[in-house]
Structures are given as C-alpha cells and as structure tokens.
Amino acid sequence: IVFCPSNPIVSLGPILALPGMRAALAASLAPKIVVSPLIGGRALKGPADRMLTTLGHKPSSLGVARIYAGIADGIVLDHADADLVAAIEAEGFRTLVTNTVMHTDADRAQLARDTLDFARSLAGAVLTP
C-alpha cells in the first residue's frame, strides 16, 4: 500500500478519517509505504508545509511520519532529508532515501520503481511476526 506524496491533512486525511480505515490499514499484512510530500521541510507544490505548522505538526518528513505512525511501515525520503533518517527510524519506520523530485516521466518511473522495490524489501519483515 503506497501513500503517495500528497498533503497528509487535506488529501489523505479524509480517507484515513473514515470509520475503521486506520484499523484496517494497521491490521493489513501488506507493506505500507509513505512517500513524503515534503523536501527539506517544504512542499514543492501546495500548502502542506503551512498546514502542518498551523495544525501543530512539524513541517518536515519527520512530522509526516508521525501522522502515519501505527499504520505505515516505511517512508521514502528525498536526499535533502537524509539527516532525518535516525529520528524517523526511532519512530518505528524503515526509511529509503532517494530522489523524490519528479520533473520528468523518467523521474516518476524511477521513484515508482524505488518505492515498489522498498515495499518488496519490507514484505518479509512485515509478514513475519
């Protein structure tokens, strides 16, 4: 299950707020991967960083990870956020650092491959109690 790099408050938040959704995700044995929509504490597009701040969250990939705590297994970060790996892993996530800026179709395809490879690498760990 991939949580695409969308605003965690207004794009994915309403889906996660559906009755039973968080519990269903937490119970799923499928690897669950978040692609952080923030790079270096900033949203490339849209108000996600400002919304996170306004609502009391850290405007960073660490803040994003905390929103998905308990339902996601891993998070994909941009190289600009590599300094957050230890803090995010301390929150219970596995991390993958790669290029998350998508300017071209090739960039989009590579991020998709990296994310799916990461999910596959976690599948055994997630399925094994």
Side-chain angles (χ1 to χ4, degrees), residues 21-41:
M21 182 60 73
R22 288 181 85 79
L25 287 166
S28 172
L29 295 179
K32 294 162 291 283
I33 307 297
V34 174
V35 180
S36 180
L38 300 185
I39 298 173

Side-chain angles (χ1 to χ4, degrees), residues 1-4 30-37 61 64-77 85 88-89 91-97 114-115 118-123 125-126:
I1 299 170
V2 177
F3 299 86
C4 294
K32 294 162 291 283
I33 307 297
V34 174
V35 180
S36 180
S61 290
V64 169
R66 287 177 174 158
I67 289 171
Y68 296 102
I71 60 169
D73 307 299
I75 185 166
V76 178
L77 311 171
V85 166
I88 290 171
E89 289 183 349
E91 298 282 332
F93 290 86
R94 304 276 179 91
T95 57
L96 171 69
V97 177
D114 291 347
T115 301
F118 181 44
R120 281 185 205 98
S121 77
L122 295 183
V126 172

Side-chain angles (χ1 to χ4, degrees), residues 101-113:
V101 180
M102 298 174 282
H103 295 293
T104 67
D105 286 345
D107 294 338
R108 289 184 264 292
Q110 186 61 54
L111 179 57
R113 278 191 297 276

